[in-house]
Every structure is written in structure tokens, then in C-alpha cells.
Amino acid sequence: MRKPRPSTPIGGNKISKPAEFIMVASTAMCTTALSSVVLGSFMCFLIVMCRRFGLDPDNIAPPVAGCLGDLVTLSILGLVATLHVSIVNTIIPLILVILLSLAAIGWVVVARRNTYVKDLLIQGWSPLFAAMIISSGTGLVLDTFVSRYTGFALIAVVITGLPGSVGSIFVSRLSTALHSAGTYRLPSLVDHAPHPKPRLVLMTLLVVSLPIQIVFLSVVYMFGWLHLSIVFAALEVMFFCITVLISLFLAQSATNILWSYNLDPDMYAMPLHSALMDLVGQSLLVACYELASLLGSKVRSRPAT
């Protein structure tokens, strides 16, 4: 069972002080900067390697970025936060905040002088803020139901992450096809194979993702991490397929709509799609647990004694 939340301090005194606030700000800024450098460098390397070995980056980059993004960022956050704890009462966090703020201003000036990337300074902010708001709702769903159902956190990662990755692949492939149809490409980069029909790609991604989910359920059952009834397992697979279908149709609709408004789907669709699928996936998982409970499966967590 999850530990209860800490109660509000008696007397209304705030726990955090300016030193703690600056430490948190410094931790967040350092983590963001380091994570951007690591992930950005890795993704550039991955794309170059895909082109070198004749692989399609659309099939590899989106799921890798989605999986490594959380893992790398949280790992760096833990390391940076641990280091900041020992310097919380020093001036070092404040110096880091000032230096990173000045560096951000300098990078904006440098980016504005680059004709290839200067447009990125004013594009893509709205989907990021919208995704942040949607993710807040996802956090509320997780916080509400994670202690109510057995294994909710374990299954939620897969029922949201895998459909989200599949949808990201679909967005990337559709976006590439749209850009290729309207943009001249160098002969050395031309893919002589025609782009497959979206419906074929959709069905392929659905068929590919289903065995992965079945293998996941088998692994967690064999290792004893989660005891699944036949009814719940069948319902979970069914709701997983529904989530994947929603993800794919949402990816196709968002890509086509954004393209019709001259907006880059790679920049606008992916953040919104990822955030929405986290919310949709967890909501459908709650419905799956409730339906399994109505059918007699013991899926609710036992209250703490």
C-alpha cells in the first residue's frame, strides 16, 4: 500500500524557504539543460545511424525518444537533486540559476541568427503548454486510482506507453509522407519505395503491438509480480486494443488537421498525442478494472490494516 500523504504543518508555517525554492529551481534548470543535451545528441546520432544502415528513422526514433526521455530525465533529476541537497544552504544554486538564465538568453540570440532554426523559437509552444495541462489531469487519475486497484501502476505504464509509441510512429510516418509529397529531396536521400497506404500502416502497427502486450502480461504473471484472473487478462487485452485503435485514429486525424492548417505535425501533433494517450489509456484502464470487478474478479487493493 502507498504511504499516506504528509499532513499540512500545524500553525500554517511554510516548509520551504527561499533557499529551498532556489535549490528546486536550480535542480529543474540543470536537469532540463543536461537532459536536452544528452537526448538531443543521442537522437541526432540515432537518426544518422539509421540513415547509414538503411533503416527508417520513423520506425525507430519516436518510440526510443518516448522511452528514453522519461528514463534519462528522471535519472538525471535524481542525480542532480542528490547533489543539490548537499549545497542547499550555499550560494551555488543561485549562481547556477543566474548562469543558466543568462545562457538561455544567449542561446536565443544565437538561434535567431540561424535561418534554419530561428522559426522554432516562436513555434511549438502552444502544444507543449496544452500537453502540460493534459498531463496534470493524467497525474490526478494516477494518484486517485493507483492505490485502489492491484497492479494499476504496473499496467498503466504499458497501456499508455505502448499505444502512445505506436501512435508516434504513425504520426511520424504520415508527416514524412506529407513532407515528401510537397518538398523536393536530394537524389541521394530519395526513398524509391512508395509510401504504404495509411490504412495498411495502421493495421500493421495494431497487429505488431498486440503480441507485445500479451508477452508483457505473461511475464508479469510468471514472475509473480501480478496475479491475473482470466477475465481480467481478457478485458485488459481488449481495452489495450481499443487504446491502440484510439491512438492510431487520433494520430491520423491530428496529422491531417494540422497539415491542413500548415502546421508541422511532428512539432504540434506528437506532444498533444502523447499527453492525450496517457490520459485516455489510464481512463480506459480504470474502466477495465471496474468492469472486471463487476464480473467478479478481485482487482481492488486490500485496505491497510
Side-chain angles (χ1 to χ4, degrees), residues 284-302:
L284 289 177
L285 183 58
V286 172
C288 176
Y289 271 99
E290 287 292 336
L291 183 57
S293 179
L294 291 175
L295 294 177
S297 297
K298 297 180 180 180
V299 294
R300 293 183 179 273
S301 300
R302 296 179 180 178

Side-chain angles (χ1 to χ4, degrees), residues 7 38 98 150 194 265:
S7 58
V38 173
I98 295 174
T150 303

Side-chain angles (χ1 to χ4, degrees), residues 63-82:
V64 171
C67 296
L68 284 183
D70 294 339
L71 177 62
V72 172
T73 302
L74 290 175
S75 300
I76 295 177
L77 176 61
L79 178 61
V80 172
T82 302

Side-chain angles (χ1 to χ4, degrees), residues 18-19 27 33 57 101 113 124 126 140 153 156 166 191 213 233-234 236 248-249:
T27 301
S101 300
R113 297 176 180 176
S126 54
L140 292 176
V166 169
D191 185 5
Q213 176 67 12
E236 201 277 339
L248 293 172
F249 282 113

Side-chain angles (χ1 to χ4, degrees), residues 46-65:
L46 180 62
I47 298 299
V48 172
M49 288 296 101
C50 288
R51 299 299 300 178
R52 179 179 178 85
F53 292 100
L55 302 175
D56 190 351
D58 290 334
N59 295 335
I60 300 175
V64 171

Side-chain angles (χ1 to χ4, degrees), residues 9 12-14 28 74 89 96-97 105 109 121 137 199 205 216 229 233 254:
N13 295 326
K14 296 181 179 180
L74 290 175
N89 293 319
L96 291 175
V97 170
I105 297 174
V109 174
L121 294 174
R199 183 175 299 178
L205 292 173
F216 167 77
S229 64

